[in-house]
């Protein structure tokens, strides 16, 4: 990262899916800002098949060659043991944990009628469970620290997607998983704030091996997203929690989620016809939804 300021000096940061794409960019950016990094990656293919420690090891090599500190973790963070060992790796290697960046994921895109149950389960597992379990184990550590009277300024950055915000044709499993991550982010922010933990999410748009086929015209780089992630993962982001940001190239957008729109109250039970008439009037006064990605 150019123009490094040391904003994460002394912090210990876990990045999942750190071997390639966005995760690699985040890991390198945190290290450039003074953080010690635990780089997790199973080294799987685009569809989650296979396994190799080499991507995580390569990122660690890049960080250490530049004078930084990093260690690789090759465990499956969608398992209890893998997630627990990931948090343990940070604590045992560096004696603390300050930031968790949940980024790991893969795609198995199909139209709904062609989407196999295994494709659904695999994508939900890596994205939703792969966010939940590291968050659970990191949060348990931070809660223990806070209860012991030790100050906590912890940060979690989850990774959602425009598919989770708006939907995406041919990505029903992925869109559902990414929408679930937003819900998890909101709940974790509300539950963990008392312990000094801030939880936010980003919806990045960048050209990686995961997006190159789905969004062929996308030219933004993973490195363009990382500055916001680094800031959210630093102590400088104090007071920012429970929010979702879109990040693409030089653009940052605060995403505003569901909130009450036009409403009608009869004060008694509606008949189906009355309910339909009321709904149509309310829809006429409401903002139309943003189009689903890929819809015609």
């Amino acid at each position: 990262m150019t123009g490094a300021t040391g904003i994460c000096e002394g912090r210990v940061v876990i990045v999942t899916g750190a071997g390639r794409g966005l995760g690699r960019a985040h890991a390198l950016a945190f290290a450039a800002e003074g953080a010690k990094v635990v780089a997790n990656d199973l080294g799987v293919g685009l569809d989650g098949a296979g396994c190799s420690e080499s991507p995580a090891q390569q990122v660690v090599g890049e960080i250490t060659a530049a004078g930084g500190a990093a260690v690789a973790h090759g465990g499956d963070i969608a398992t209890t043991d893998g997630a627990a060992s990931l948090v343990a790796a940070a604590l045992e290697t560096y004696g603390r944990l300050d930031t968790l960046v949940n980024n790991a994921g893969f795609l198995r895109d199909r139209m709904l009628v062609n989407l196999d149950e295994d494709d659904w389960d695999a994508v939900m597992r890596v994205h939703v469970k792969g966010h939940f379990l590291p968050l659970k184990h990191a949060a348990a550590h931070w809660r223990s620290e806070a209860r012991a009277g030790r100050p906590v300024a912890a940060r979690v950055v989850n990774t959602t997607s425009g598919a989770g915000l708006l939907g995406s044709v041919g990505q029903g499993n992925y869109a559902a998983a990414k929408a679930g991550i937003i819900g998890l982010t909101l709940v974790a922010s509300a539950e963990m704030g008392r312990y000094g933990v801030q939880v936010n999410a980003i919806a990045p748009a960048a050209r990686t091996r995961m997006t190159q086929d789905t969004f062929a015209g996308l030219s933004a780089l993973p490195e363009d997203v990382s500055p916001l992630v680094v800031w959210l993962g630093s102590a400088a982001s104090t007071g920012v929690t429970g929010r979702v940001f879109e990040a693409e190239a030089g653009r940052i957008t605060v995403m505003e989620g569901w909130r009450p729109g036009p409403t009608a109250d009869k004060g008694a039970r509606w008949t189906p016809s009355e309910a339909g008439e009321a709904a149509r009037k309310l829809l006429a006064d409401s903002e139309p939804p943003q189009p689903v990605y890929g819809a015609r």
Side-chain angles (χ1 to χ4, degrees):
M1 177 184 288
T2 58
T5 61
I7 195 173
C8 287
E9 192 69 41
R11 293 181 74 82
V12 175
V13 179
I14 288 173
V15 181
T16 70
R20 303 181 180 96
L22 285 162
R24 173 182 174 274
H26 299 340
L28 293 174
F30 273 108
E33 292 292 350
K36 299 177 176 67
V37 177
V38 180
N40 163 267
D41 203 295
L42 266 179
V44 300
L46 284 173
D47 62 353
C51 183
S52 169
E53 292 186 0
S54 59
Q57 295 287 1
Q58 288 171 6
V59 170
V60 168
E62 290 184 71
I63 291 172
T64 55
V71 62
H73 179 271
D76 183 354
I77 45 82
T79 67
T80 294
D81 289 346
S85 69
L86 176 60
V87 172
L91 299 177
E92 292 169 4
T93 305
Y94 299 119
R96 61 184 296 123
L97 173 61
D98 301 285
T99 298
L100 168 65
V101 179
N102 282 317
N103 169 78
F106 56 73
L107 298 175
R108 292 192 184 178
D109 293 351
R110 302 281 191 281
M111 301 298 278
L112 287 173
V113 295
N114 297 322
L115 187 62
D116 292 335
E117 186 177 354
D118 288 346
D119 295 329
W120 177 273
D121 289 344
V123 167
M124 295 296 287
R125 177 184 183 275
V126 69
H127 289 281
V128 181
K129 200 172 180 183
H131 270 63
F132 159 64
L133 286 174
L135 174 55
K136 169 187 169 68
H137 288 280
H141 164 69
W142 289 323
R143 184 181 65 175
S144 295
E145 291 291 287
R147 287 179 171 177
R150 291 183 283 271
V152 175
R155 306 287 186 263
V156 178
V157 184
N158 290 330
T159 306
T160 182
S161 168
L165 294 163
L166 300 177
S168 181
V169 171
Q171 293 189 305
N173 49 0
Y174 179 72
K178 289 305 192 182
I181 287 167
I182 296 172
L184 177 63
T185 298
L186 300 179
V187 171
S189 172
E191 290 185 355
M192 295 305 298
R194 74 190 72 179
Y195 304 115
V197 183
Q198 294 182 182
V199 188
N200 294 286
I202 60 160
R207 186 168 181 79
T208 69
R209 66 175 189 149
M210 198 168 86
T211 61
Q212 62 186 359
D213 293 329
T214 306
F215 301 107
L218 191 60
S219 60
L221 300 174
E223 290 79 6
D224 297 331
V225 175
S226 297
L228 176 61
V229 175
V230 169
W231 182 78
L232 288 171
S234 75
S237 63
T238 297
V240 179
T241 191
R243 306 307 293 263
V244 179
F245 298 85
E246 265 197 345
E248 178 184 358
R251 178 178 59 84
I252 296 172
T253 304
V254 176
M255 301 304 290
E256 298 181 337
W258 294 105
R259 60 185 68 231
T263 186
D265 185 356
K266 179 183 177 182
R269 183 179 300 162
W270 304 88
T271 68
S273 295
E274 289 173 336
E277 183 180 355
R280 288 192 179 279
K281 288 180 180 178
L282 294 174
L283 289 169
D285 293 334
S286 68
E287 291 291 328
Q290 294 292 306
V292 172
Y293 287 108
R296 295 178 181 178

